[in-house]
Amino acid sequence: MSTQVLNRPVTGPNVWTAADLPSDEAFVRHLTPAELDAADEALAAAAGRPVHGPARGDLPAPGLAGLAADLVERLENGAGYVVLRGLPLGTRYSPEQASRIQWTLARHIGEVVPQNRDGDLAEVLEDPRHPAQRSGSHASKAGAPFHTDPADVTGYLCLAPARSGGARVVASTATIYNALVAEHPEWLELVYRDFATDWDGRQPDGEPGWSPRPIFSVAGGALTCSLSPKRIISAMRFEEVPRLNAEEMTCLMYLESLLRRPGTAVHVEPRPGDMEFVNNHTVIHSRTGFVDDPSDPGHRRRLQRLWISRGADGRPLVPALRRWRAGIA
C-alpha cells in the first residue's frame, strides 16, 4: 500500500504558535470548586484501594466525568496540550491523594500503559542522584530535547517544582508541518519514510534498541507526528541502522530549527499540583534545565509521569505507530 502524503497546510485549533497566544494561560484549565468537591468524593470512595488502580470504568468518580470529557476534547480537537491547575497540594491534598486524582482522571481519558519493560505504570522524575531514578535524558538536570512519546497522551503531575527552571516547552507539530510545506515541499515524501528511533535503553524485551517510525504520517485523514531528533541521530550507534544521508540530516536539522524559531514554542512554568496532558501526535515537547534546592524539599523537582493510551477512541495511526499504543511490555 502506498504512503499517503499530505501536500497542503493543516488547519484547525491544533495549529498554533506562541506568537498566536496571549500567554501560556491559554493552555490552562482551572479546577472549579465543584470539581474539587467531586475529587474529595472520589478519594473517599476509593479509600483502601491501591493508588494506581483499579481498571477504567470501575473508578468511583462520576463527578469527574465532565472534567475528563473536557480534557479529551481539548487534547483531541483542541490545542493538544492542557494544564489542569488549582489542585491545592500540601493543604487540601497530600502527594498520595494528588497522585490518586491524577490516576483517576487518566483512567477516564484512556488506559494507563507501561513506560518500560519492567511494566511501571507510573514513574516519578526527579534528581538523577536519587537511587530509585532511572537514567536517561528525562532524568537529567540539563534541558531535555524535543521529543514525542510513543503513547497517545503523556500526563504529568507536579509534586514539587525545582528552585529554578524545569519549564515545559511545547510546540504544535502541525505548525512545523505547515512551515515544511511552505518552505521545503521537496522534503515532504522524505519525512513520511521510517526513521530508526533510539529507545534510549527502554525497549521492550526481545526488541532491538531502536524502532522504525515515520516523522509524519496520515491515517484516516489525520496528520500525526512522531519526532525525536536526538534519538533519530543516536540510533546510528547501532551497527544495523543505516547512516543518515546528507539530505536526511539536513531535513532533520531544519525541523529542529523550526522548533527553536522565536515565537514558535511556548514555555510553561510548573506549579505544585499542576497536571499536564500532552497529545503526543499533535504536540512535541521538551524541558528546560533546572536547579534544585537541596535544603528545601518543596523546591526539589518531582514529577509523576503517566502514559495513556486512547485505544480505539484515539486517532487512527499507521501500523508503525499503532503497535506502541499499548506501551512498552
Side-chain angles (χ1 to χ4, degrees):
M1 184 175 62
S2 61
T3 300
Q4 180 183 355
V5 176
L6 188 66
N7 293 299
R8 55 175 173 75
V10 181
T11 59
N14 65 328
V15 183
W16 49 265
T17 67
D20 298 329
L21 306 172
S23 71
D24 61 13
E25 283 286 320
F27 297 113
V28 176
R29 200 293 199 175
H30 291 274
L31 285 160
T32 67
E35 288 164 349
L36 290 174
D37 290 342
D40 291 342
E41 293 174 5
L43 290 172
R49 300 189 183 197
V51 173
H52 298 141
R56 181 185 181 190
D58 296 335
L59 292 161
L64 295 177
L67 170 58
D70 184 36
L71 293 175
V72 168
E73 176 65 20
R74 291 167 182 252
L75 290 168
E76 296 285 4
N77 302 313
Y81 173 66
V82 189
V83 180
L84 189 59
R85 182 162 289 168
L87 194 73
L89 180 64
T91 53
R92 185 165 176 169
Y93 301 115
S94 68
E96 180 179 310
Q97 290 172 318
S99 177
R100 190 185 294 277
I101 293 168
Q102 180 203 26
W103 180 271
T104 299
L105 286 171
R107 282 295 207 177
H108 280 74
I109 292 171
E111 185 74 17
V112 180
V113 297
Q115 301 178 39
N116 53 57
R117 55 186 143 187
D118 294 331
D120 292 335
L121 297 177
E123 191 165 353
V124 175
L125 312 180
E126 56 189 339
D127 187 329
R129 292 175 296 178
H130 189 284
Q133 179 61 60
R134 299 177 182 276
S135 62
S137 59
H138 63 281
S140 171
K141 284 187 176 180
F146 277 104
H147 66 282
T148 56
D149 292 326
D152 292 326
V153 176
T154 299
Y156 296 97
L157 165 64
C158 181
L159 296 168
R163 169 57 67 188
S164 63
R168 182 81 50 219
V169 187
V170 292
S172 160
T173 57
T175 294
I176 301 307
Y177 191 80
N178 287 351
L180 180 67
V181 171
E183 299 174 10
H184 285 286
E186 72 276 13
W187 286 338
L188 284 177
E189 291 192 8
L190 187 154
V191 297
Y192 283 80
R193 300 176 193 168
D194 283 344
F195 283 76
T197 303
D198 197 337
W199 273 116
D200 199 21
R202 302 167 68 86
Q203 68 270 16
D205 287 334
E207 294 283 343
W210 57 276
S211 67
R213 307 175 204 169
I215 294 176
F216 286 101
S217 57
V218 174
L223 178 73
T224 288
C225 180
S226 177
L227 176 59
S228 301
K230 181 178 178 181
R231 291 179 184 173
I232 290 175
I233 292 172
S234 67
M236 290 190 290
R237 66 192 175 96
F238 297 99
E239 186 176 344
E240 69 273 20
V241 171
R243 310 301 92 172
L244 294 170
N245 62 37
E247 183 183 34
E248 291 168 336
M249 183 65 81
T250 303
C251 177
L252 196 62
M253 294 301 96
Y254 166 76
L255 294 174
E256 175 86 16
S257 74
L258 291 176
L259 293 164
R260 302 187 185 283
R261 279 186 183 177
T264 297
V266 176
H267 289 59
V268 180
E269 297 289 343
R271 301 181 186 179
D274 275 2
M275 286 182 274
E276 300 171 82
F277 297 91
V278 183
N279 182 335
N280 284 297
H281 306 313
T282 64
V283 170
I284 187 168
H285 61 287
S286 68
R287 171 185 51 75
T288 64
F290 66 92
V291 177
D292 280 338
D293 185 340
S295 65
D296 181 3
H299 286 96
R300 291 204 296 265
R301 178 182 177 270
R302 294 184 75 240
L303 267 68
Q304 179 170 273
R305 183 179 64 191
L306 305 177
W307 279 3
I308 307 166
S309 169
R310 295 272 297 140
D313 295 330
R315 69 170 43 211
L317 298 175
V318 296
L321 303 181
R322 191 167 60 242
R323 66 176 301 210
W324 305 117
R325 184 164 247 163
I328 301 173

